Amino acid sequence: MTNAKIAVVVGSLRAGSFNRKLSHAVVRLAPPDLSFSDVRIDDLPLYNQDDDDRPAVASVARLRNQIRDCDGVLFVTPEYNRSVPGGLKNAIDHGSRPYGHNVWASKPAGIIGISPGKMGTSMAQQHLRNILASVDMPTLALPEVFLQADDKIFDSAGNVAANTQQFLRSWITRFHDWVQQHKR
């Protein structure tokens, strides 16, 4: 296996986000030849096609460069109203436009998420899979990871429970293989 750079896009903007905690826990479980960089999305302006002919604002340029420079993308998303958060969709729109300059194209993707609800983030992940297909991102289908947040999922250090660690370690290894298979 060769080294791979993974951009981590967390859909939640909340300071105490379960999904940010989950992203950190997964990074700690990852094989050593994966390196991760968090992609900030909370400072992006709302996407407006009228801006396509203007130079990108700094936050949009930063997002586009981070995605362009990575080998794969890990999306960690909550579920808002049975779909993806608006901030996450906005980030994807910025990276896919203007037409012909899609930085997401051909980047292998993985999706995980955690939510207090019993269904976890299953609906948000399904919607995200549709969005990622439209921006030409090959997305790991199985295993799916939609965890239910409870008071036992994270310890005081932010690690997940032992049985969940085993599952997530298996998932991140599978994602690593996926990235290697699709790496350009």
Side-chain angles (χ1 to χ4, degrees):
M1 299 261 172
T2 58
N3 291 340
K5 296 187 297 185
I6 307 300
V8 180
V9 181
V10 177
S12 176
L13 307 180
R14 190 170 67 89
S17 166
F18 294 130
N19 285 277
R20 183 146 329 271
K21 286 181 185 179
L22 178 60
S23 74
H24 293 158
V26 168
V27 166
R28 286 191 295 274
L29 297 169
D33 54 343
L34 287 180
S35 63
F36 296 87
S37 63
D38 289 328
V39 177
R40 185 175 175 193
I41 66 170
D42 66 326
D43 62 343
L44 298 172
L46 289 176
Y47 173 74
N48 181 339
Q49 191 173 5
D50 291 341
D51 296 331
D52 282 356
D53 295 330
R54 298 182 187 117
V57 297
S59 58
V60 172
R62 181 195 66 233
L63 166 87
R64 294 180 61 77
N65 288 333
Q66 278 186 278
I67 300 307
R68 192 178 291 114
D69 293 342
C70 75
D71 298 309
V73 182
L74 171 58
F75 291 95
V76 189
T77 187
E79 184 168 301
Y80 293 174
N81 299 317
R82 303 273 178 179
S83 192
V84 297
L88 177 55
K89 177 64 167 69
N90 187 52
I92 294 168
D93 291 344
H94 274 296
S96 69
R97 306 296 281 208
Y99 182 79
H101 299 278
N102 177 8
V103 297
W104 306 105
S106 301
K107 299 284 181 178
I111 305 170
I112 62 175
I114 186 169
S115 174
K118 288 195 182 290
M119 292 174 43
T121 60
S122 60
M123 294 297 293
Q125 289 189 36
Q126 188 58 49
H127 287 177
L128 184 54
R129 287 178 192 287
N130 291 338
I131 295 165
L132 299 182
S134 75
V135 296
D136 193 27
M137 293 186 82
T139 304
L140 179 64
L142 297 172
E144 294 176 302
V145 179
F146 18 86
L147 302 175
Q148 183 180 12
D150 61 26
D151 58 354
K152 297 176 187 142
I153 190 89
F154 297 106
D155 66 17
S156 61
N159 297 306
V160 292
N163 60 337
T164 305
Q165 279 185 24
Q166 182 178 354
F167 173 65
L168 290 176
R169 188 174 284 114
S170 172
W171 184 88
I172 195 70
T173 299
R174 175 75 176 94
F175 176 63
H176 183 218
D177 294 343
W178 183 254
V179 170
Q180 294 300 331
Q181 179 183 348
H182 291 58
K183 192 173 168 182
R184 294 192 274 182

